[in-house]
Amino acid sequence: MRETMKKILFASTALVAFAGAAAAEVTVTGAAEMGIVGGNRYATPSNTDGVTQFWTDVDVTFTMSGEADNGLTFGTKVKFEEAQNGIATQEEDDFAVWVAYGNARLDMGDTDGAFDWAMQEMNLAAGSIDDSETEHPGFNANSGFDGHEDGQIARFTYTFGDFAAALSAEIDDDPNAQAIAPSIDPDSDDDVVWGLGFKYSGDLAGTKVNVGLGYQDQNDFGSLIGLSVDTTLASGFKIGASYSEMDPESNIASDNVTHAAIGFGYEMNALSIGLNYGKFENYDKMSGTYGSSAESDGYGLAVAYDLGGGLAVQFGYGVGDSTTAAGVESDWDSYSLGLAMSF
């Protein structure tokens, strides 16, 4: 068996050696998690308060890159998830393909639209095994209208100094695709999602500052604009804030949907702590419904301690509540504690 493996390795090395003058590289990275999770996020029909349970998760990422003779670089990334939410699945979870030349780059596939690319999420530090700190009713991942069509996004990015700009589009090129938007608005099928984003990342007197401005539009759904700002001090403290506003079409909702968030973070040596708060108005995140009396808000906390060698202890907690347009209220909470491993 060992000799067979050696032959496979030698053959693979030979293929790379004779592939041409252009450089090519394939890297494999992985991650694994183990621990316990709980809260009413994990409610069952017999226990609406939630059941504390074991959590395991494993994924492997293949990253491939190369360079053509004319200096054009290219690559792809594919992530395979073996377990999700503690349930073994084995599925292709994430993929993207890109080409770049100089300061210009084109990404296509399961990638962020220009709005999401530009906006900073407010979980500014740390992390947890089940993302408890970012799943609460008030957290906004800034995905905007991404996924409203077939999920295949093309984003062109150009970087100039401390500034960068991006333009993105998502179209329904699969007639059998089950898009999100038609479940709310049947006329939105085949309606292109356009995005535009700008970023600034600089160092002002020892303080790192990031500013993001994003815009997204889908004719039959509405338009979305957002701004985020975050800073990192030399002491290790981070603070950030974001605001976004959606102007929906009349068939979606009659009132604008707003979201505001603030985040704090601290990183020093092996310790990392993050705290965030967010609130939606005229939108209930838990039910996905719009309305003038709907709202969702919540807090998230994550604490991590790096043990070295790719192993970290992580704790996460999230809590919040939501109110539907009909006035129905519901509470939400989630917690986790475990080990995160990177390879």
Side-chain angles (χ1 to χ4, degrees):
M1 180 66 179
R2 186 173 299 174
E3 291 300 321
T4 302
M5 292 300 296
K6 287 182 178 179
K7 290 179 181 179
I8 293 174
L9 177 61
F10 292 153
S12 301
T13 304
L15 286 174
V16 173
F18 291 100
E25 182 179 357
V26 179
T27 59
V28 181
T29 57
E33 298 165 342
M34 61 184 296
I36 58 172
V37 299
N40 65 15
R41 174 185 176 186
Y42 300 99
T44 66
S46 59
N47 190 337
T48 57
D49 292 330
V51 177
T52 300
Q53 56 190 270
F54 293 132
W55 172 279
T56 57
D57 187 60
V58 178
D59 63 65
V60 178
T61 301
F62 294 86
T63 304
M64 294 161 274
S65 62
E67 182 175 349
D69 294 339
N70 61 1
L72 184 75
T73 57
F74 54 92
T76 184
K77 182 189 75 171
V78 181
K79 183 170 77 172
F80 293 90
E81 184 108 3
E82 185 205 5
Q84 193 169 29
N85 296 334
I87 302 174
T89 55
Q90 287 196 356
E91 63 179 25
E92 180 184 324
D93 185 60
D94 184 21
F95 66 93
V97 184
W98 59 268
V99 293
Y101 188 82
N103 296 332
R105 172 169 168 150
L106 175 64
D107 289 80
M108 189 176 294
D110 188 2
T111 190
D112 293 337
F115 180 88
D116 197 357
W117 168 88
M119 295 284 289
Q120 172 66 51
E121 299 170 8
M122 287 300 106
N123 54 321
L124 298 180
S128 63
I129 59 175
D130 70 338
D131 302 321
S132 284
E133 76 283 4
T134 64
E135 292 293 325
H136 63 77
F139 188 81
N140 191 349
N142 298 320
S143 58
F145 301 154
D146 290 358
H148 273 203
E149 294 301 330
D150 69 348
Q152 297 289 301
I153 297 172
R155 187 187 71 246
F156 175 78
T157 309
Y158 190 84
T159 304
F160 39 100
D162 294 334
F163 297 88
L167 176 67
S168 67
E170 180 186 357
I171 61 177
D172 185 4
D173 55 9
D174 181 358
N176 297 316
Q178 186 67 30
I180 295 177
S183 64
I184 302 174
D185 174 22
D187 295 330
S188 67
D189 194 29
D190 296 325
D191 197 8
V192 178
V193 179
W194 294 102
L196 185 64
F198 299 94
K199 276 184 181 181
Y200 167 79
S201 299
D203 193 319
L204 304 178
T207 299
K208 296 181 180 178
V209 179
N210 299 306
V211 180
L213 176 64
Y215 175 81
Q216 206 166 32
D217 178 85
Q218 188 176 23
N219 285 339
D220 287 334
F221 201 84
S223 60
L224 177 66
I225 189 168
L227 173 69
S228 68
V229 180
D230 67 276
T231 62
T232 302
L233 306 178
S235 60
F237 284 97
K238 299 180 180 181
I239 185 171
S242 67
Y243 178 82
S244 60
E245 183 168 343
M246 173 188 167
D247 182 11
E249 290 298 314
S250 59
N251 55 328
I252 305 299
S254 58
D255 299 290
N256 284 8
V257 176
T258 64
H259 179 268
I262 187 169
F264 302 92
Y266 176 75
E267 291 185 6
M268 185 59 65
N269 299 323
L271 180 65
S272 177
I273 303 173
L275 175 67
N276 70 82
Y277 169 79
K279 182 176 183 178
F280 290 94
E281 290 190 346
N282 301 325
Y283 176 67
D284 172 21
K285 177 182 175 181
M286 305 313 293
S287 65
T289 58
Y290 299 86
S292 59
S293 62
E295 66 176 39
S296 296
D297 73 331
Y299 297 86
L301 170 68
V303 181
Y305 190 84
D306 189 355
L307 299 175
L311 182 65
V313 180
Q314 295 184 343
F315 168 78
Y317 178 71
V319 62
D321 54 66
S322 61
T323 304
T324 68
V328 179
E329 298 181 358
S330 60
D331 298 326
W332 185 98
D333 70 291
S334 174
Y335 62 84
S336 63
L337 175 65
L339 295 173
M341 312 166 193
S342 59
F343 305 94

